Amino acid sequence: MLFSQLPEDVLYQILSYLDYRSLSRLSQVCKTIYHFVNRDAVWKKIAKDFLNTGITRNGTDILLPWVQLDRDMLFLSQAAVIGGYSLCQDSGRLHRNPFEIYSGHKGDVCRFVLTDAHLISGGSDGKILVHHRRRGVMLELSGHNQEVNCLDSKDGLIISGSRDRTARIWTLTSSCPRDTIAMQDRVWSVAISPTLSSFVTGTACCENFSPLSIWDVERSECVCILGSQFRRGAGVLDMVFESPFQLFTCGYDTFIRLWDLRLSPRKCAMEWEEPHDSALYCIQTDGNHMIASGSSYYGVVRLWDKRQTRCLQFFQLSSQPASSPVYCLRFSSSHLYAALATALHSLDFSQNPIYIR
């Protein structure tokens, strides 16, 4: 029997013992082996080892911890569970034990969003779970067949994006999507406009298309493409609307960009470049002059004044030998909270004052 004629489960077992160099050489033997070796399942373990996360807790990988602030409460995802923690008013520290735990995913929580009444989470199991924050009632939204990378929700409207190359529109009255939009690439980020009439998707930019698109909510049609000179791989990892016409984005190409939707969509209004050529995983703004960004290396948080192009101040939160991105950050008038691979860090602005005039 030829090597390529072995059962697939036996082939997977054999290939699991090979490193990336051996797999590359093996793929050059013939077309049949080439197509088998290039399957995602063959490279999954190797790709995982090359990821710059440095994460394990009790032997279990923790992917993309996410944070949301709601007045004196902080919500943090860890693996398949989201915990709600009360914040001490004087110090801003978290109480040790969560006052509420939200669970139900069969895999890690990738993203979650808070509304006044609900906590809505998307997981690596392809499910979206809607938890009622007061009654504990849960609704399961099914439609994606790969991990739900991103979510946003406003006024009963939910937009989700997935690795399965779709964006989906949901309402709280049905467990099935109202509309499904086929995308040209994996969807990494979404944001609903404050007007509720449109939303923006940010993709991985692995194809020769701009990663930023604006969609009409009612018609589920693309109404605008933002930007024209993104290089391949410049995926958009996070975005935030500061007003109906001001959108901030960041991602793999190391830039924070401000888009003024009243102007030409081909060029951003302003941009800020991460000085050490690190991908930017997350951003937040204060609605005034400050932007905070989280970098992909060594837990670096940078603070920017919108009126300047250079970084105002930076903090390296990780002292661990293993580098970790800042996966998510949120801040109030007194504290900034940043989620790294194995810990939640906080900055007290009274101890580290930030001067923005």
Side-chain angles (χ1 to χ4, degrees), residues 34-317:
Y34 169 83
H35 290 300
F36 188 87
V37 169
N38 277 276
R39 293 183 182 181
D40 287 348
V42 174
W43 289 88
K44 186 175 181 180
K45 183 179 181 298
I46 293 173
K48 212 171 180 183
D49 292 339
F50 275 95
L51 286 175
N52 179 36
T53 59
I55 325 173
T56 58
R57 182 176 298 157
N58 300 325
T60 303
D61 288 344
I62 301 172
L63 300 178
L64 300 178
W66 202 251
V67 177
Q68 295 288 2
L69 272 178
D70 184 14
R71 296 183 290 275
D72 59 348
M73 296 176 288
L74 182 141
F75 296 81
L76 171 68
S77 65
Q78 296 174 287
V81 173
I82 302 167
Y85 298 84
S86 297
L87 297 172
C88 299
Q89 291 186 355
D90 52 348
S91 66
R93 293 181 178 275
L94 275 66
H95 286 281
R96 182 175 296 273
N97 297 316
F99 65 84
E100 191 71 75
I101 292 177
Y102 301 89
S103 60
H105 285 287
K106 295 178 181 177
D108 293 319
V109 173
C110 298
R111 291 284 175 97
F112 69 93
V113 64
L114 290 175
T115 67
D116 289 340
H118 299 93
L119 184 150
I120 304 165
S121 60
S124 61
D125 56 3
K127 305 294 185 184
I128 298 170
L129 301 183
V130 180
H131 301 267
H132 197 286
R133 293 175 60 181
R134 296 172 184 85
R135 298 197 299 269
V137 178
M138 186 174 72
L139 173 67
E140 182 179 299
L141 308 180
S142 299
H144 291 294
N145 56 38
Q146 294 190 52
E147 58 260 42
V148 179
N149 294 319
C150 49
L151 279 173
D152 197 11
S153 179
K154 287 182 174 66
D155 199 26
L157 175 70
I158 302 170
I159 306 294
S160 63
S162 171
R163 190 182 182 88
D164 67 8
R165 300 191 176 204
T166 66
R168 297 178 190 251
I169 304 173
W170 315 76
T171 65
L172 294 175
T173 59
S174 173
S175 60
C176 297
R178 194 199 76 187
D179 284 299
T180 298
I181 301 172
M183 307 291 290
Q184 295 160 329
D185 213 333
R186 293 162 289 176
V187 185
W188 287 146
S189 53
V190 296
I192 301 173
S193 168
T195 64
L196 304 179
S197 61
S198 63
F199 65 93
V200 183
T201 56
T203 65
C205 201
C206 292
E207 307 294 339
N208 294 318
F209 305 101
S210 171
L212 286 167
S213 301
I214 303 177
W215 304 83
D216 183 274
V217 167
E218 292 301 320
R219 293 180 286 126
S220 303
E221 293 180 357
C222 181
V223 295
C224 187
I225 301 293
L226 295 179
S228 59
Q229 297 185 3
F230 286 96
R231 65 176 184 262
R232 195 166 184 175
V236 176
L237 294 175
D238 199 14
M239 58 176 69
V240 58
F241 271 102
E242 198 170 72
S243 74
F245 51 84
Q246 287 188 313
L247 175 73
F248 286 85
T249 65
C250 71
Y252 282 119
D253 68 350
T254 77
F255 281 93
I256 302 169
R257 291 186 172 90
L258 166 62
W259 304 88
D260 190 324
L261 304 184
R262 300 167 298 184
L263 305 177
S264 169
R266 295 182 62 81
K267 185 173 176 58
C268 64
M270 289 187 69
E271 61 184 23
W272 300 263
E273 185 176 12
E274 212 288 338
H276 291 161
D277 200 31
S278 296
L280 295 173
Y281 273 54
C282 53
I283 50 171
Q284 277 288 286
T285 75
D286 66 350
N288 192 16
H289 296 303
M290 192 171 92
I291 308 170
S293 64
S295 302
S296 59
Y297 293 108
Y298 302 107
V300 172
V301 169
R302 295 189 185 275
L303 302 179
W304 311 77
D305 186 332
K306 296 175 188 174
R307 299 163 296 184
Q308 304 175 18
T309 55
R310 296 179 63 183
C311 171
L312 185 71
Q313 196 167 352
F314 80 93
F315 304 90
Q316 185 173 330
L317 303 181

